[in-house]
Coordinates of all heavy atoms in Angstrom, one line a residue:
L1237 N 3.2 18.0 -9.3 CA 3.3 18.6 -7.9 C 2.8 20.1 -7.9 O 3.1 20.9 -8.8 CB 4.7 18.5 -7.5 CG 5.1 17.1 -7.0 CD1 6.6 17.1 -6.6 CD2 4.3 16.6 -5.9
A1238 N 2.1 20.4 -6.9 CA 1.8 21.7 -6.6 C 2.5 22.0 -5.3 O 2.0 21.9 -4.2 CB 0.3 22.0 -6.5
L1239 N 3.8 22.4 -5.3 CA 4.7 22.5 -4.1 C 4.1 23.5 -3.1 O 4.1 23.2 -1.9 CB 6.0 22.9 -4.6 CG 6.8 22.0 -5.5 CD1 8.1 22.5 -5.7 CD2 6.8 20.6 -5.0
S1240 N 3.5 24.6 -3.5 CA 3.1 25.5 -2.5 C 1.7 25.0 -1.8 O 1.4 25.5 -0.7 CB 2.7 26.8 -3.2 OG 1.7 26.6 -4.2
A1241 N 1.2 24.0 -2.3 CA -0.1 23.5 -1.7 C 0.2 22.5 -0.7 O -0.8 22.1 0.1 CB -1.0 22.9 -2.8
C1242 N 1.3 21.9 -0.5 CA 1.6 20.9 0.3 C 2.1 21.4 1.7 O 3.0 22.1 1.8 CB 2.7 20.0 -0.2 SG 3.2 18.6 0.9
S1243 N 1.3 21.1 2.7 CA 1.6 21.6 4.2 C 2.8 20.7 4.7 O 3.0 19.6 4.1 CB 0.4 21.5 5.0 OG 0.1 20.1 5.3
A1244 N 3.4 21.1 5.7 CA 4.5 20.4 6.3 C 4.0 19.1 6.8 O 4.8 18.1 6.8 CB 5.1 21.3 7.4
S1245 N 2.8 19.0 7.3 CA 2.4 17.7 7.9 C 1.9 16.9 6.8 O 1.6 15.6 7.1 CB 1.1 18.1 8.8 OG 0.1 18.6 8.1
G1246 N 1.7 17.3 5.5 CA 1.2 16.4 4.5 C -0.2 16.2 4.5 O -0.7 15.2 4.0
Q1247 N -1.0 17.1 5.2 CA -2.5 16.8 5.3 C -3.3 17.9 4.7 O -4.5 18.0 4.8 CB -2.8 16.7 6.8 CG -2.0 15.7 7.6 CD -2.2 14.3 7.0 OE1 -3.3 13.9 6.8 NE2 -1.1 13.6 6.7
D1248 N -2.7 18.7 3.8 CA -3.5 19.8 3.1 C -4.3 19.2 1.9 O -3.7 18.6 1.0 CB -2.5 20.8 2.6 CG -3.2 22.1 2.2 OD1 -4.4 22.0 1.7 OD2 -2.6 23.1 2.4
N1249 N -5.6 19.3 1.9 CA -6.4 18.7 0.8 C -6.2 19.4 -0.5 O -6.9 19.0 -1.5 CB -7.9 18.7 1.2 CG -8.1 17.7 2.4 OD1 -7.5 16.7 2.5 ND2 -9.2 18.0 3.1
T1250 N -5.5 20.6 -0.6 CA -5.3 21.3 -1.9 C -4.1 20.6 -2.6 O -3.9 21.0 -3.7 CB -5.1 22.8 -1.6 OG1 -3.9 22.9 -0.8 CG2 -6.3 23.4 -0.9
D1251 N -3.5 19.7 -2.0 CA -2.3 19.1 -2.6 C -2.8 18.2 -3.8 O -3.6 17.3 -3.5 CB -1.6 18.2 -1.5 CG -0.3 17.5 -2.1 OD1 -0.1 17.6 -3.3 OD2 0.3 16.9 -1.3
S1252 N -2.3 18.5 -4.9 CA -2.9 17.7 -6.1 C -2.5 16.2 -6.1 O -3.1 15.5 -6.9 CB -2.4 18.4 -7.4 OG -1.0 18.3 -7.4
L1253 N -1.6 15.8 -5.3 CA -1.2 14.4 -5.3 C -1.9 13.6 -4.2 O -1.8 12.4 -4.2 CB 0.3 14.2 -5.1 CG 1.2 14.7 -6.3 CD1 2.7 14.3 -6.1 CD2 0.7 14.1 -7.6
Q1254 N -2.5 14.3 -3.3 CA -3.1 13.6 -2.1 C -4.4 13.0 -2.5 O -5.3 13.7 -3.0 CB -3.2 14.6 -0.9 CG -3.5 13.8 0.3 CD -3.3 14.7 1.5 OE1 -2.2 15.3 1.7 NE2 -4.2 14.7 2.5
V1255 N -4.7 11.8 -2.1 CA -5.9 11.1 -2.5 C -6.9 11.2 -1.4 O -8.0 11.5 -1.6 CB -5.6 9.6 -2.6 CG1 -6.9 8.8 -3.1 CG2 -4.5 9.4 -3.6
V1256 N -6.6 11.2 -0.1 CA -7.4 11.3 1.1 C -6.8 12.2 2.1 O -5.6 12.5 2.1 CB -7.8 9.8 1.7 CG1 -8.5 9.1 0.7 CG2 -6.5 9.3 2.2
A1257 N -7.7 12.6 3.1 CA -7.2 13.6 4.1 C -6.2 13.0 5.0 O -5.2 13.6 5.4 CB -8.5 14.1 4.9
N1258 N -6.4 11.7 5.3 CA -5.4 11.0 6.2 C -4.9 9.8 5.6 O -5.4 8.7 5.8 CB -6.1 10.7 7.5 CG -6.6 11.9 8.3 OD1 -5.8 12.7 8.8 ND2 -7.9 12.1 8.3
P1259 N -3.9 9.9 4.8 CA -3.4 8.7 4.0 C -2.7 7.7 4.8 O -2.1 7.9 5.9 CB -2.4 9.4 3.1 CG -1.9 10.6 3.7 CD -3.1 11.2 4.5
V1260 N -3.0 6.4 4.4 CA -2.4 5.3 5.1 C -1.7 4.4 4.0 O -2.2 4.2 2.9 CB -3.5 4.5 5.7 CG1 -2.9 3.2 6.4 CG2 -4.2 5.3 6.8
A1261 N -0.5 4.0 4.3 CA 0.2 3.1 3.3 C -0.5 1.8 3.1 O -1.1 1.2 4.1 CB 1.6 2.8 3.9
V1262 N -0.5 1.4 1.9 CA -1.2 0.2 1.5 C -0.5 -1.1 2.1 O 0.7 -1.1 2.3 CB -1.3 0.0 0.0 CG1 0.0 -0.3 -0.7 CG2 -2.4 -1.0 -0.4
K1263 N -1.3 -2.1 2.3 CA -0.8 -3.4 2.7 C -1.2 -4.5 1.8 O -2.2 -4.3 1.0 CB -1.3 -3.8 4.2 CG -0.8 -2.8 5.2 CD -1.2 -3.2 6.7 CE -0.7 -2.4 7.7 NZ -1.1 -2.7 9.1
P1264 N -0.5 -5.6 1.8 CA -0.9 -6.6 0.8 C -2.3 -7.2 1.2 O -2.6 -7.3 2.4 CB 0.1 -7.7 1.0 CG 0.8 -7.5 2.3 CD 0.7 -6.0 2.5
A1265 N -3.1 -7.7 0.2 CA -4.3 -8.4 0.5 C -4.0 -9.6 1.2 O -3.0 -10.3 1.0 CB -5.1 -8.6 -0.7
V1266 N -4.9 -10.0 2.2 CA -4.7 -11.2 3.0 C -5.1 -12.4 2.1 O -6.1 -12.4 1.5 CB -5.5 -11.2 4.3 CG1 -5.4 -12.5 5.0 CG2 -5.1 -10.0 5.2
S1267 N -4.1 -13.4 2.1 CA -4.4 -14.5 1.2 C -5.3 -15.5 1.8 O -5.3 -15.7 3.0 CB -3.1 -15.2 1.0 OG -2.2 -14.4 0.3
P1268 N -6.1 -16.2 1.0 CA -7.0 -17.3 1.5 C -6.1 -18.5 1.7 O -4.9 -18.6 1.3 CB -7.9 -17.5 0.4 CG -7.2 -17.1 -0.9 CD -6.3 -15.9 -0.5
A1269 N -6.7 -19.6 2.2 CA -6.0 -20.8 2.3 C -5.7 -21.4 0.9 O -6.4 -21.2 0.0 CB -6.8 -21.8 3.1
V1270 N -4.6 -22.1 0.8 CA -4.2 -22.7 -0.5 C -5.1 -23.8 -0.8 O -5.3 -24.7 0.0 CB -2.7 -23.1 -0.4 CG1 -2.3 -23.9 -1.7 CG2 -1.8 -21.9 -0.2
T1271 N -5.7 -23.7 -2.0 CA -6.6 -24.8 -2.4 C -6.0 -25.6 -3.6 O -6.5 -26.6 -4.0 CB -8.0 -24.3 -2.8 OG1 -7.8 -23.3 -3.8 CG2 -8.6 -23.7 -1.5
T1272 N -5.0 -25.0 -4.3 CA -4.3 -25.6 -5.4 C -2.9 -25.8 -5.1 O -2.2 -24.8 -4.6 CB -4.5 -24.7 -6.7 OG1 -5.9 -24.4 -6.9 CG2 -3.9 -25.3 -7.9
K1273 N -2.3 -26.9 -5.4 CA -1.0 -27.2 -5.1 C 0.0 -26.1 -5.8 O -0.1 -25.9 -7.0 CB -0.6 -28.6 -5.6 CG 0.8 -29.0 -5.2 CD 1.2 -30.4 -5.7 CE 2.6 -30.7 -5.5 NZ 3.0 -32.1 -6.0
P1274 N 0.9 -25.6 -5.1 CA 1.8 -24.6 -5.7 C 2.6 -25.2 -6.7 O 3.0 -26.4 -6.6 CB 2.7 -24.1 -4.5 CG 1.9 -24.4 -3.3 CD 1.0 -25.7 -3.6
S1275 N 2.9 -24.5 -7.8 CA 3.7 -25.0 -9.0 C 5.1 -25.2 -8.6 O 5.7 -24.5 -7.7 CB 3.6 -24.1 -10.2 OG 2.3 -24.1 -10.6
G1276 N 5.8 -26.1 -9.2 CA 7.3 -26.2 -9.0 C 7.7 -26.8 -7.7 O 6.9 -27.7 -7.1
Q1277 N 8.8 -26.4 -7.2 CA 9.4 -26.9 -5.9 C 9.2 -25.9 -4.8 O 9.2 -24.6 -5.1 CB 10.9 -27.1 -6.2 CG 11.7 -27.6 -4.9 CD 13.1 -27.7 -5.2 OE1 13.7 -27.2 -6.2 NE2 13.9 -28.2 -4.2
V1278 N 8.9 -26.3 -3.6 CA 8.8 -25.5 -2.5 C 9.9 -25.8 -1.4 O 10.0 -26.9 -0.9 CB 7.5 -25.6 -1.9 CG1 7.4 -24.7 -0.6 CG2 6.3 -25.2 -2.8
L1279 N 10.7 -24.9 -1.1 CA 11.8 -25.0 -0.2 C 11.3 -24.6 1.2 O 10.5 -23.6 1.4 CB 13.0 -24.1 -0.5 CG 13.6 -24.2 -1.9 CD1 14.6 -23.2 -2.1 CD2 14.1 -25.6 -2.2
A1280 N 11.6 -25.4 2.2 CA 11.1 -25.1 3.6 C 11.9 -23.8 4.1 O 13.1 -23.9 4.3 CB 11.3 -26.3 4.5
T1281 N 11.2 -22.8 4.4 CA 11.7 -21.6 5.0 C 10.7 -21.0 5.9 O 9.5 -21.1 5.8 CB 12.1 -20.6 3.9 OG1 11.0 -20.2 3.2 CG2 13.1 -21.1 2.9
P1282 N 11.2 -20.2 6.9 CA 10.3 -19.4 7.8 C 9.7 -18.4 6.9 O 9.9 -18.2 5.7 CB 11.3 -18.8 8.8 CG 12.5 -19.6 8.8 CD 12.6 -20.1 7.4

């Protein structure tokens, strides 16, 4: 951490931990349709 480099808004590009100017939290990759039967047992749940 470079504490002095981090602005209150978290958008200062001199921050050594920041990857991009406007960071966005990652989301899981969208899965394709299932083409192989799932292993084991599958319980019916929402």
Side-chain angles (χ1 to χ4, degrees):
L1237 287 178
L1239 299 183
S1240 61
C1242 180
S1243 69
S1245 63
Q1247 305 300 310
D1248 191 329
N1249 287 335
T1250 62
D1251 180 356
S1252 63
L1253 291 189
Q1254 188 164 319
V1255 184
V1256 295
N1258 297 292
V1260 176
V1262 72
K1263 294 182 179 180
V1266 177
S1267 295
V1270 171
T1271 57
T1272 303
K1273 181 181 178 181
S1275 296
Q1277 176 188 9
V1278 178
L1279 309 174
T1281 59

